């Protein structure tokens, strides 16, 4: 929701004051809105856009070179007055005439038309183009009734670029109308936006549903549907927009995948992946697509797909450079360096590791290692959700996922190494490297280092003695303490690992067999993991969100205890 | 919340695929992340940034000229692996060495340090700078423990600009450390973000509260507080950041007011308004501030203020041009046109209206008009909330506010015109113009036109006869029908206005006195307004959100009925 304001009634004025301060030097305020800081050249048509505010970067954010000369700024979602439009038009216009362009909403149509008449009466040749890109707002035979949504951006951009090229007023109006005729948008909404000072959103969409064809203020669309996967949404948007391909249009399209405010960049890129593929399948060539927030609606959740079918002229204007507070295009600094080949690196290749086969005894031992890792995999994958839940109390809930991903990569690498005839040390090293590389994150690097260090204390020749295994376990512990700098009591994996290693050592010194000693140590480790629930974690960079986790065991300690318990049965097979 | 994904486990891969498709030609994918599409020149230090994803534009969005050479891309909020960092480092590095920079999080520190060692072993001179700008994450004497948040952007930008200027590796590392030492950030959060596929947000902040000093993944901060007004929040952010002004720093600062994802541009500009004033009061000169979304956390709500204390070198690097997928800086097209003077318009002034005083009779009548308008004002201001509630069913809930604003402007203008000796026609015209200009929106332009047309049928000389008043009312109706193109039954103000005018005409024809006729017509109008609840509005541009309003009376018809009822008592004073 919209949370930050001083006086909600003055929100637009306050917003403009901040905007003009940030972008001083490139834009200035005038009664009713904003114009470029530099005067309009006498031979240049002025393009003035506008509408209600709450749509940033639209509309004041696109005042600048190659785009608008001015923006009329109404209150949130409210048409500016005819007086506002008149004043901004007067401030922006020079000697070559004026084009107003705005979305096709009742208030905007009335006010901009009145301003046009008044300016015409004063001798300023003024035209108005209303944008009607929203295919969901009226059937195609009533295209003149359609709303303007993200297609505003296309029409304003094309008109602005044409004016910058010194088209005359007839020419600017012509390409603006052409761009509008060739622009189609379909949008969906997942949640409504909140007006500054309001307690409730302007409209709501039921959970896990989406409004199809909703306008940028929540105006009615063509229906409501279940919220689909990103790929399915992409398909619906593409199908909806392509349903009205203008006759005679060529293969080139400009495209905008627009986020309405809280549907974020990462999500838009996921959707775009499929949009791009589907458009290519239709034989369309996408020219300089835009994926981001261009025409928002405060904190509304949703997105829209806009296509503009380009002829050569529209393509040139779509590609033309622009420099505005919120939108820039065109190579400021073209690179002279050559493009990369598919082999991206510019460094010589790293030397490949030479493969040394293990002894027969160590190869046997390596197969036991693989079986033990597989047992860990079963345990970790089986507890993935539970580990995620525990982790979510203190972290981002991905511990279970990270461990499952890591152990699976480790098992794959270990199997491959065994198939190549490697001994136990090499197999554990390969498993550790793969775990760290594929899982990433903190647990990945720690487990990777632990396995590699564990393996490094064994060899590819001799069968390890029980004392070797205990020393290897301690080497693993030391590796993660070195990397993670965690001390006992910090509520980390160390709190389960340290008692395990101590108990293993002690039992072996007391003459207990390896399998029994490991099992006993694993039981102690499990108790220690449970006991971490009582610990208050050390704050700092190592433990994000940690303060909240008091009362919940540490996820890293818990998964450690699961692993050593899973491995226990395989120790019986070593002497 | 995060709603759009295909397989949540593949979210980062899918996101990268879309990102690389959109920005093909400027960036390419490599194992572990992204590098520029052009090779790194042999004499240029490579700057590779990174960390977990979910922070777009950070980090892959800032790979390009003047900024990063590559970005290591981990899973959402998860450190990339050492292998990932190694691979991107190898792909980006040329012959002049490599600087890694990342936020100071445990996983990133371990993984980037391991990658640094591996690259150094292979002969690539590699340095790592961890960003520690978050003042809330540790006390100043433990600055090395602090997290990196939006200050990442400053350090990466400065390092990237220095590398572009062909600083050597020592130099790039030096300015990166200098920028980090001089950068301070304080953030607040209002709501947590949702991981792709999760049902619940990662953390929550109670309604109307804010977490102060929260990290970008919701890590603990310094406390919780009531959500304040924007100006108060600005003050807390400024005070928090300025509390640690580095000794010996000069008056110049770079600044970032960063939105975390769902705290939108308009809100940020409102906060910036006060931030800018407070910094100026402290004698600080802000250089090229950035207000927008630079380091986000999916759909988290919140913002942060970053200041970097600039010396001449840092100022040059902060101002340096950059061209990346998500961030561009520098004049692509410097304007040769002169800057505007404070008198912005380039057109000759419009001729001022000449003031014609009204007759004494018409001046008396004009005073009655003012009293009637004041009565309307009382009624509309008194019903502002109720009208807003009715309007919220079908529109954006601002009808009450718009009417209150409009009538207040009309009353002021009418009083001023009366004070200048104007007659009834001029006073009504001035009232209408002011209503339209100050209120904006649809109701503003319609009421403005209605009052002006009403006045135009009267004169500034003669006292109007009852038939003149009826004709004036019909002229007002016709004006709004002409402008709004609404027909009876469309569920608009016309549905209350038309029966009013018809009834008024009929009663006067039947010989009823004006006051009685008006009162009767007003009663009928009120009934008609209530009856609009049964109407299904005509869809289309004129009636956003209208479909939902069945069962609720039309707000415009309701406020019309309130107005004519309020005016009725004043008709008795005309003959």
């Amino acid at each position: 929701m919209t949370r930050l304001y001083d006086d909600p009634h003055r929100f637009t004025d306050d917003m403009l004051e901040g905007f003009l301060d940030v972008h001083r030097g490139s834009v200035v305020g005038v009664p009713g809105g904003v114009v470029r800081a530099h005067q309009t050249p006498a031979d240049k048509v002025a393009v003035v856009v506008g509408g209600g505010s709450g749509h940033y970067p639209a509309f004041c954010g696109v005042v600048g070179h190659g785009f608008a000369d001015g923006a009329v700024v109404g209150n949130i979602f409210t048409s500016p007055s005819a007086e506002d439009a008149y004043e901004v038009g007067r401030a922006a216009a020079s000697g070559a005439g004026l084009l107003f362009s705005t979305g096709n909403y009742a208030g905007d149509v009335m006010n901009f038309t009145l301003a046009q008449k008044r300016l015409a009466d004063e001798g300023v040749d003024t035209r108005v183009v209303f944008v009607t890109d929203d295919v969901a707002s009226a059937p195609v035979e009533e295209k003149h009734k359609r709303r303007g949504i993200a297609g505003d951006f296309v029409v304003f951009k094309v008109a602005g670029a044409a004016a910058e090229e010194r088209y005359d007023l007839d020419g600017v109006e012509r390409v603006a109308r052409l761009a509008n005729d060739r622009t189609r948008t379909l949008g969906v909404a997942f949640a409504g936006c909140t007006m500054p000072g309001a307690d409730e959103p302007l409209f709501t969409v039921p959970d896990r549903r989406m409004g199809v064809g909703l306008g940028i203020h929540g105006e009615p669309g063509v229906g409501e549907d279940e919220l689909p996967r990103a790929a399915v949404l992409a398909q619906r948007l593409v199908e909806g927009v392509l349903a009205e391909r203008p006759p005679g249009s060529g293969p080139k399209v400009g495209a905008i995948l627009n986020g309405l405010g809280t549907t974020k960049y990462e999500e838009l890129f996921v959707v775009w992946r499929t949009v791009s593929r589907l458009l290519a399948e239709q034989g369309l060539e996408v020219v300089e697509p835009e994926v981001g927030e261009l025409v928002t609606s405060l904190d509304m959740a949703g997105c829209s797909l806009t296509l503009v079918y380009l002829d050569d002229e529209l393509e040139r204007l779509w590609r033309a450079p622009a420099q505005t507070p919120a939108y820039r295009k065109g190579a400021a600094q073209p690179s002279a360096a050559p493009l990369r080949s598919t082999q991206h690196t510019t460094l010589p290749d790293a030397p490949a590791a030479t493969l040394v086969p293990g002894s027969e005894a160590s190869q046997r031992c390596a197969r036991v290692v693989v079986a033990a890792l597989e047992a860990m995999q079963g345990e970790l994958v089986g507890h993935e959700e539970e580990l995620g839940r525990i982790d979510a109390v203190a972290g981002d809930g991905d511990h279970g996922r990270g461990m499952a991903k890591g152990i699976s990569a480790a098992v794959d690498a270990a199997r491959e190494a065994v198939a190549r005839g490697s001994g136990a040390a090499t197999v554990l090293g390969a498993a550790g490297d793969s775990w760290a590389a594929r899982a990433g994150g903190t647990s990945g690097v720690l487990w990777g280092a632990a396995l590699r260090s564990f393996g490094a204390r064994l060899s590819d020749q001799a069968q390890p003695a029980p004392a070797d295994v205990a020393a290897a376990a301690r080497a693993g512990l030391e590796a993660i303490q070195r990397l993670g700098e965690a001390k006992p009591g910090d509520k980390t994996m160390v709190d389960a690992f340290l008692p395990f290693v101590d108990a293993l050592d002690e039992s072996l010194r007391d003459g207990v067999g390896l399998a029994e000693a490991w099992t006993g140590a694993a039981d102690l480790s499990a108790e220690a993991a449970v006991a971490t629930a009582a610990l208050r974690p050390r704050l700092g960079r190592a433990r994000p969100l940690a303060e909240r986790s008091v009362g919940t065991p540490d996820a890293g300690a818990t998964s450690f205890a699961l692993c050593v318990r899973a491995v226990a049965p395989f120790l019986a097979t070593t002497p």
Side-chain angles (χ1 to χ4, degrees), chain A:
Chain A
M1 64 183 291
T2 303
R3 292 176 174 85
L4 302 180
Y5 45 83
D6 288 317
D7 177 354
H9 293 149
R10 287 190 42 84
F11 185 82
T12 300
D13 299 322
D14 292 349
M15 178 271 287
L16 262 183
E17 187 183 327
F19 168 77
L20 290 168
D21 182 82
V22 174
H23 296 289
R24 57 182 180 264
S26 63
V27 287
V28 293
V30 292
V34 168
V35 295
R36 296 189 200 175
H38 294 86
Q39 290 174 21
T40 309
D43 61 343
K44 182 184 173 303
V45 171
V47 174
V48 171
V49 303
S53 55
H55 304 298
Y56 196 87
F59 301 100
C60 59
V62 296
V63 173
H65 182 91
F67 225 121
D69 294 276
V72 193
V73 180
N75 284 320
I76 296 285
F77 300 168
T78 303
S79 167
S81 70
E83 171 94 9
D84 293 334
Y86 164 82
E87 290 285 0
V88 178
R90 260 186 72 81
S94 183
L98 172 68
L99 180 82
F100 278 135
S101 189
T102 174
N104 190 31
Y105 297 86
D108 293 315
V109 170
M110 289 187 265
N111 283 303
F112 280 83
T113 304
L114 288 172
Q116 173 197 22
K117 285 181 188 147
R118 190 165 161 199
L119 286 160
D121 287 348
E122 292 182 14
V124 181
D125 194 352
T126 305
R127 317 288 170 84
V128 196
V129 173
F130 298 111
V131 183
T132 57
D133 59 310
D134 181 4
V135 298
S137 55
V140 65
E141 56 274 18
E142 295 189 297
K143 191 172 187 305
H144 65 284
K145 288 189 179 173
R146 286 181 172 173
R147 301 177 290 237
I149 50 176
D152 285 354
F153 188 90
V154 175
V155 176
F156 300 172
K157 164 87 175 68
V158 163
E164 212 68 66
E165 285 190 9
R166 299 297 190 274
Y167 277 42
D168 66 10
L169 184 58
D170 287 341
V172 173
E173 183 185 4
R174 177 182 59 76
V175 292
R177 293 196 187 283
L178 178 64
N180 185 47
D181 285 345
R182 292 185 157 241
T183 300
R184 310 276 184 280
T185 301
L186 178 61
V188 293
F190 316 128
C193 47
T194 318
M195 305 283 280
D199 290 323
E200 298 293 327
L202 208 48
F203 68 97
T204 56
V205 178
D207 204 29
R208 307 258 164 216
R209 308 279 294 172
M210 68 174 181
V212 180
L214 256 67
I216 52 176
H217 319 101
E219 297 93 330
V222 291
E224 197 188 283
D225 212 336
E226 211 164 311
L227 182 65
R229 283 191 307 119
V232 176
L233 174 62
Q235 193 172 359
R236 293 202 54 175
L237 292 174
V238 168
E239 282 171 4
V241 172
L242 288 187
E244 280 189 27
R245 198 161 162 178
S249 61
K252 289 192 172 179
V253 288
I256 299 175
L257 185 64
N258 179 58
L260 286 167
T262 64
T263 298
K264 298 312 298 179
Y265 311 103
E266 288 86 354
E267 297 175 271
L268 296 174
F269 287 132
V270 171
V271 175
W272 176 258
R273 180 176 81 103
T274 305
V275 168
S276 176
R277 183 175 56 73
L278 295 174
L279 293 176
E281 282 173 14
Q282 294 294 319
L284 292 170
E285 182 192 332
V286 181
V287 176
E288 299 192 357
E290 297 285 347
V291 176
E293 298 184 347
L294 297 175
V295 182
T296 63
S297 295
L298 294 174
D299 61 327
M300 187 163 156
C303 63
S304 64
L305 176 66
T306 300
L307 291 186
V308 51
Y309 296 87
L310 301 171
D311 59 15
D312 290 348
E313 182 182 36
L314 289 177
E315 180 181 349
R316 193 187 67 247
L317 298 168
W318 173 248
R319 285 183 186 271
Q323 176 155 336
T324 74
Y327 179 78
R328 288 171 179 227
K329 197 179 173 74
Q333 302 281 344
S335 176
L339 284 169
R340 289 175 195 275
S341 64
T342 43
Q343 171 56 30
H344 299 293
T345 179
T346 50
L347 292 176
D349 278 345
T354 39
L355 185 71
V356 183
S359 71
E360 237 173 78
S362 191
Q363 286 191 35
R364 266 199 310 277
C365 180
R367 284 192 287 273
V368 177
V369 166
V370 169
L373 289 170
E374 287 168 346
M376 277 171 60
Q377 184 181 22
E379 198 74 6
L380 289 171
V381 169
H383 288 82
E384 180 178 333
E385 270 191 45
E386 186 190 333
L387 289 170
R389 271 199 305 278
I390 297 174
D391 182 46
V393 177
D396 54 11
D398 69 349
H399 182 75
R401 182 65 211 152
M403 291 296 287
K405 202 168 171 181
I407 185 64
S408 301
V411 165
D412 290 347
R415 282 186 189 139
E416 204 180 304
V418 161
R420 288 181 185 160
S422 297
T426 298
V427 166
L428 278 161
D433 288 352
S434 186
W435 186 320
R438 297 297 147 250
T442 311
S443 66
V445 64
L446 292 176
W447 271 93
L451 284 193
R452 174 160 275 292
S453 298
F454 190 104
R457 286 302 299 259
L458 308 185
S459 86
D460 286 333
Q461 301 302 323
Q463 175 108 343
D468 295 330
V469 174
R474 189 167 294 280
L477 169 65
E478 284 165 0
I480 68 154
Q481 285 189 291
R482 211 162 41 236
L483 270 170
E485 297 175 13
K487 288 184 288 294
D490 283 350
K491 193 164 185 164
T492 71
M493 177 181 170
V494 168
D495 293 315
F497 207 156
L498 181 64
F500 171 82
V501 169
D502 284 347
L504 184 62
D505 265 352
E506 196 180 320
S507 297
L508 291 177
R509 270 202 308 272
D510 291 351
V512 179
L514 177 59
E516 193 185 335
W518 185 287
T519 305
D523 289 347
L524 209 73
S525 174
E527 285 170 32
V530 171
T532 58
L535 293 175
R536 180 171 296 275
R538 186 183 57 157
L539 288 184
R541 65 173 194 224
R543 306 298 298 159
L545 293 157
E547 196 54 67
R548 290 167 211 163
S549 74
V550 178
T552 309
D554 180 65
T558 305
S559 57
F560 176 83
L562 288 173
C563 288
V564 288
R565 189 178 67 188
V567 166
F570 300 89
L571 277 299
T573 61
T574 50

